[in-house]
Amino acid sequence: MSLYFDAVAILTAPSSGGSFKSRIYSARNLRASPAQIYALTTEAAKWDTVLADVIDKSGILALERKLSPLLALLLVHDHLIAKKGIAAPATHTLRQSIERHKARLKAEFTKARVRRGCATVEQFKAAVIREKRLADGTSHFVYPRWVRVNNIRTTLEEQLATTFKAYRRVESLSELATDEEPKPEPRLFIDPNIPDLVAVPFGADFTSSPAYKNGEIILQDKASCFPAYLLLGDRGPADAWEGDLVDGCAAPGNKTTHMASLLAKQQKGKSKKSNQMIFSMDASTVRSRTLQKMVGLAGADSVTVLQGQDFLALDHEDERFENVTGLLLDPSCSGSGIIGRDDVPQFTLPVALSKGPRSHGKKRKREDDDAEQSKATPGIPQAEPTDENDIADGNVDLERLTKLSSIQARIVEHALGFPNATHVTYSTCSIHLIENEGVVARILGTQVAKERGWRLLRRDEQPDGLRRWTKRGVREEQPAEGETGPSGSVDLPDEALEACIRSWQGDAEGLGGFFVAGFVRDPALATAPVPEIEQNSDNKMLDEDEEANAEDDDEDEDEDEEDWGGFSD
Ligand SMILES: C[S@@+](CC[C@H](N)C(=O)[O-])C[C@H]1O[C@@H](n2cnc3c(N)ncnc32)[C@H](O)[C@@H]1O
């Protein structure tokens, strides 16, 4: 019986951040197995509307006063649908409270199936899922599972031949959508914009695959791959990135490990190991632990994690950072672009008679008294794509957005001050103008941007996959008709808006709302004299390399010169 009480407790616990699955797996005091709880809650959620109807029509909540609506729904799910029935001894009072009504429950369930013209339970399930997707207006969306191949440990070709061997390649995202149940045919779409990124149907679970456990593949949403790719681009061994990198707001580590993967790809085929560093930090010590874990799993030896480090407290003059040429900033934001921010399954519940009629079409809030007889406490989440944002509550007001945008602008402004920085990216998973184009406009107006000649990385300068991406910056934000929300506009020229990259929820791209812009330093635009050390930063790094590699053999020296590519005959 603990399974059902634990499931109710998990479903009714206040959100503690992290994905639903990670919350179950890290919860303390569970008596049932996390895998069983996850399976029960996600499966029952697929049937909620039917089960609520069956329970209502059979009237059992009026007769069995010990059952709360959510507990009844979970028990009736297993009674009617699970192969082994309710996971409790036949004499258990709660099991009996359902089985006493088995004739009525079975009759209502059969009526519901026949009403939909389905001959089998499998057909019935597919019909219910279709019905639900139509009802909540998501029938035309395809939200796939995005999987990034980690070049430190493997290659796309290797993964296609192993992890994805049984997957049939499709030519469009929409071909990943499915109503087939329970096991849709495995299909795979190779993303045309981000190298080494694939999409598979959302239900695909890799958590027990060797490639996932060994860090060969990383579950990372497509838009979240934009920043590292925008920063490091399509370079190869001949024009590999020069200098060190900083990820200033890095936990749980998706973008840090992506940068490390891109660097590794650029280095492939070189005989000499690169000594480039990625300094990766997060102000939160708790989240820094996840970052450290993820970096280790990805085999990203080039990364040095600075746990609990506030990026704003980094000293520009600190000699550790004197070779830093690129910085990636993905600070805390409102998270308004995240889909399934709270991916806890939502249930349409049967009516508890004393609590008034059920409002159709709307999910009823789970009730406090459902959290009975379990002391499960959600713990620290592990990294999942939805864990990137650290703000647990997606509710934001204008005051909060204004504060967030000020901190975001301060963080980017601080990045522009690193003496040898030449490239910076700024990103959010917010859809609001004030956190996106608004921050870009503020940054371009700062003294440091003007003095050092920072400008936006134009669309025609962006890596190929992002140049072809058509969703671009916007000038205005207005709440949709009948809704409230932030509104405003920015004073940026068309070319600047073209330089900004956006994605939106609910279109055919299968992404959430995201924003990224790249800044580059153009000495010709600098209004203040640039100190000599900065103008000659490439030469300086070459000198240092030469010094450091003085003992290398001739072959290495030749390669160095070829890779650097700064001089020609
Ligand atoms: C959106 S999350 C970053 C997600 C991460 N880039 C990824 O791809 O996995 C924002 C992170 O910034 C961190 N943060 C916010 N302000 C910071 C600061 N001043 N210095 C360092 N980290 C900061 C938060 O603790 C949070 O973990």
Side-chain angles (χ1 to χ4, degrees):
M1 259 308 144
S2 52
L3 170 63
Y4 304 97
F5 291 127
D6 280 349
V8 168
I10 286 280
L11 287 167
T12 52
S15 168
S16 58
S19 67
F20 178 58
K21 191 172 192 173
S22 64
R23 278 186 239 171
I24 297 180
Y25 275 81
S26 54
R28 291 183 295 273
N29 307 327
L30 287 181
R31 285 166 295 166
S33 94
Q36 258 186 313
I37 298 172
Y38 185 69
L40 168 64
T41 48
T42 50
E43 275 307 299
K46 293 180 188 156
W47 287 98
D48 66 337
T49 46
V50 171
L51 294 174
D53 197 41
V54 165
I55 294 169
D56 280 348
K57 293 209 165 109
S58 56
I60 62 172
L61 286 180
L63 303 168
E64 304 291 345
R65 309 300 291 189
K66 278 192 176 153
L67 294 178
S68 68
L70 182 54
L71 185 60
L73 193 142
L74 297 173
L75 287 163
V76 170
H77 170 270
D78 275 6
H79 170 68
L80 290 171
I81 297 160
K83 277 203 185 88
K84 292 186 180 160
I86 294 173
T91 51
H92 196 286
T93 48
L94 281 183
R95 177 163 165 178
Q96 288 179 343
S97 69
I98 299 295
E99 291 186 347
R100 258 197 291 280
H101 309 283
K102 67 179 177 197
R104 272 201 253 182
L105 288 168
K106 177 114 197 287
E108 292 301 339
F109 189 66
T110 306
K111 271 195 242 167
R113 175 173 60 75
V114 172
R115 246 197 328 271
R116 288 165 176 87
C118 301
T120 65
V121 173
E122 290 310 330
Q123 286 174 7
F124 188 14
K125 188 173 178 182
V128 172
I129 290 172
R130 243 187 334 265
E131 235 170 57
K132 283 169 59 119
R133 290 178 69 200
L134 278 173
D136 66 14
T138 60
S139 57
H140 64 292
F141 299 160
V142 183
Y143 287 121
R145 169 65 94 184
W146 293 99
V147 184
R148 175 169 66 74
V149 173
N150 176 14
N151 283 296
I152 301 169
R153 297 213 184 270
T154 183
T155 60
L156 177 61
E157 289 67 35
E158 214 169 273
Q159 288 306 307
L160 292 178
T162 54
T163 310
F164 302 114
K165 191 164 185 240
Y167 284 63
R168 178 170 65 85
R169 190 165 163 192
V170 295
E171 296 307 319
S172 68
L173 260 190
S174 59
E175 290 172 70
L176 297 180
T178 182
D179 291 325
E180 300 160 46
E181 285 285 342
K183 276 209 165 149
E185 182 204 10
R187 275 150 299 160
L188 165 137
F189 174 68
I190 298 186
D191 187 69
N193 299 102
I194 303 292
D196 307 313
L197 184 74
V198 302
V200 294
F202 188 78
D205 184 8
F206 294 99
T207 46
S208 54
S209 77
Y212 177 79
K213 288 186 184 161
N214 302 333
E216 290 167 13
I217 56 170
I218 288 171
L219 307 182
Q220 181 173 356
D221 288 342
K222 173 172 172 174
S224 160
C225 297
F226 288 176
Y229 180 49
L230 184 64
L231 188 66
L232 298 178
D234 296 309
R235 295 158 190 270
D239 62 344
W241 181 267
E242 290 283 339
D244 295 336
L245 295 160
V246 163
D247 185 346
C249 303
N254 284 322
K255 296 174 190 73
T256 286
T257 53
H258 190 200
M259 285 202 285
S261 170
L262 287 166
L263 278 190
K265 195 173 181 182
Q266 293 177 10
Q267 303 293 338
K268 271 187 183 158
K270 289 176 81 174
S271 58
K272 188 166 66 70
K273 204 171 173 283
S274 155
N275 55 4
Q276 273 171 319
M277 311 252 298
I278 300 176
F279 297 99
S280 178
M281 68 208 69
D282 201 280
S284 152
T285 34
V286 173
R287 287 170 64 83
S288 294
R289 273 183 235 134
T290 313
L291 169 64
Q292 185 76 65
K293 212 164 98 185
M294 195 162 170
V295 163
L297 186 68
D301 299 340
S302 55
V303 175
T304 300
V305 173
L306 308 177
Q307 296 206 18
Q309 173 69 52
D310 178 359
F311 173 71
L312 288 170
L314 286 194
D315 180 358
H316 292 143
E317 302 308 322
D318 186 327
E319 61 181 25
R320 282 178 301 169
F321 309 124
E322 68 179 359
N323 283 342
V324 168
T325 48
L327 297 98
L328 185 150
L329 286 315
D330 183 44
S332 305
C333 70
S334 62
S336 52
I338 297 178
I339 344 155
R341 146 171 294 284
D342 186 1
D343 63 346
V344 178
Q346 298 291 307
F347 288 89
T348 293
L349 294 175
V351 180
L353 283 190
S354 54
K355 289 173 182 153
R358 170 154 58 105
S359 61
H360 285 279
K362 264 208 142 187
K363 304 282 178 193
R364 254 196 29 215
K365 227 171 137 33
R366 295 177 298 260
E367 289 163 23
D368 292 345
D369 63 358
D370 275 326
E372 43 200 316
Q373 295 191 30
S374 176
K375 295 191 165 41
T377 326
I380 301 163
Q382 297 148 18
E384 282 267 328
T386 45
D387 296 345
E388 277 183 18
N389 207 272
D390 56 319
I391 298 175
D393 177 1
N395 295 326
V396 280
D397 54 27
L398 196 56
E399 195 188 337
R400 173 98 179 108
L401 285 179
T402 308
K403 274 191 191 147
L404 277 169
S405 68
S406 295
I407 299 168
Q408 290 153 353
R410 269 180 62 207
I411 285 179
V412 186
E413 194 180 344
H414 190 65
L416 304 188
F418 280 82
N420 288 315
T422 56
H423 290 71
V424 164
T425 66
Y426 166 63
S427 52
T428 71
C429 49
S430 164
I431 54 168
H432 298 309
L433 189 92
I434 184 173
E435 295 181 88
N436 298 328
E437 291 83 354
V439 168
V440 166
R442 277 168 81 163
I443 290 301
L444 292 174
T446 59
Q447 197 180 347
V448 62
K450 288 180 182 157
E451 281 184 4
R452 293 174 180 238
W454 285 98
R455 64 166 172 80
L456 280 167
L457 180 74
R458 293 189 311 270
R459 181 171 180 175
D460 64 294
E461 298 170 316
Q462 292 170 4
D464 178 56
L466 289 173
R467 204 180 312 142
R468 286 185 282 104
W469 180 257
T470 55
K471 312 275 181 321
R472 295 284 148 176
V474 296
R475 185 166 280 121
E476 242 186 42
E477 176 174 16
Q478 292 293 342
E481 218 179 294
E483 286 180 17
T484 54
S487 62
S489 63
V490 283
D491 186 16
L492 283 173
D494 288 348
E495 187 186 64
L497 296 178
E498 270 297 288
C500 297
I501 296 166
R502 282 269 197 170
S503 67
W504 300 94
Q505 303 113 308
D507 62 18
E509 303 287 356
L511 309 184
F514 198 83
F515 175 88
V516 59
F519 296 88
V520 278
R521 193 145 161 216
D522 188 342
L525 298 177
T527 57
V530 181
E532 203 169 329
I533 183 174
E534 296 170 34
Q535 276 176 339
N536 292 333
S537 61
D538 279 343
N539 295 356
K540 177 175 175 288
M541 267 181 273
L542 181 70
D543 291 346
E544 282 182 356
D545 273 356
E546 279 175 351
E547 228 169 81
N549 298 329
E551 283 166 26
D552 285 347
D553 59 24
D554 290 352
E555 201 185 326
D556 280 344
E557 272 173 34
D558 287 342
E559 206 179 89
D560 260 4
E561 219 163 81
E562 190 190 315
D563 290 342
W564 181 64
F567 298 128
S568 66
D569 296 336

